[in-house]
Amino acid sequence: MTSSSHSPGAASRAPRNAREDADWQADLARCGGAAALRREQSLWALRVYRFGRRVDAMPEGGARRWSTRFYWLAFRAVETVTGISLPKECRIGPGLRIWHFGGVFVNPGTVIGANCTLRQGVTLGNRVEDGPCPVLEDGVELGAYAQVLGGVRLGAGCKVGAMSVVLRDVPAGATAVGNPARIVAREAAPPSGESAATAALTSSDLASPMTMEE
């Protein structure tokens, strides 16, 4: 993450409930407020994730043990219903937005900065068992079915196109597309054999390979 951002989930005092959880409130704000809970399945998964983080911050004792049991029941239920797996061990900054629920898997070792955007089918994980996981700085945007694997770092504000496979670092503000992903220089002339349309990739191209209604 950028030096100006705080560590995901960090706070001077651990929030005791959802109303005190600034990260959760930022998640809601990106979806239009609490009313979005009725229509945004991704918020169900995020709410359970934020709850799990609060549980881990509780002092040792019976309340934490019972809350941990409840968390795991809720985690498995929402993972099954929504197809979104956000284990409490990963670190996610405030304001995460997940468009179009389903098939989103985040390895527990992953770090996601503030105000990032994921879409359906995204995987953030390692390349080998117990290997390093991705770090996404603030404001990173991933297209549908993008795969980011291994100990790579995605710089602040970068974008990854739909169905891309990222195996190397992506600089801040850059756009990466393809399998394996390559950097697209939007200001420069398109490389030989690459169309101007590809070089001028916009955020709408990051969505679904079919249609997207955001």
Side-chain angles (χ1 to χ4, degrees), residues 35-169:
L37 275 167
R38 296 194 297 268
R39 66 177 187 275
E40 294 282 348
Q41 296 94 331
S42 62
L43 283 176
W44 307 349
L46 265 170
R47 186 166 191 172
V48 171
Y49 166 78
R50 300 296 183 195
F51 171 71
R53 298 293 288 183
R54 296 195 299 272
V55 169
D56 280 355
M58 294 172 64
E60 294 290 346
R64 177 170 174 172
R65 287 193 296 272
W66 282 106
S67 295
T68 298
R69 292 176 184 177
F70 177 77
Y71 160 77
W72 282 112
L73 287 173
F75 173 76
R76 291 305 180 194
V78 79
E79 183 182 51
T80 301
V81 171
T82 67
I84 299 174
S85 182
L86 301 175
K88 62 183 176 65
E89 292 80 11
C90 63
R91 293 194 294 146
I92 302 175
L96 179 65
R97 183 69 161 98
I98 302 176
W99 287 101
H100 312 305
F101 77 101
V104 176
F105 295 94
V106 179
N107 186 285
T110 300
V111 177
I112 300 175
N115 299 312
C116 289
T117 301
L118 312 182
R119 292 182 175 83
Q120 73 272 23
V122 164
T123 296
L124 303 174
N126 50 24
R127 298 178 67 179
V128 296
E129 187 174 0
D130 298 325
C133 294
V135 173
L136 279 61
E137 295 185 359
D138 296 347
V140 171
E141 185 173 353
L142 303 184
Y145 300 99
Q147 316 291 299
V148 184
L149 306 175
V152 299
R153 191 176 192 93
L154 275 57
C158 76
K159 295 178 172 63
V160 175
M163 303 182 75
S164 298
V165 179
V166 180
L167 304 176
R168 296 182 179 180
D169 293 353

Side-chain angles (χ1 to χ4, degrees), residues 193-204:
E194 181 178 354
S195 69
T198 300
L201 188 71
T202 64
S203 59
S204 62

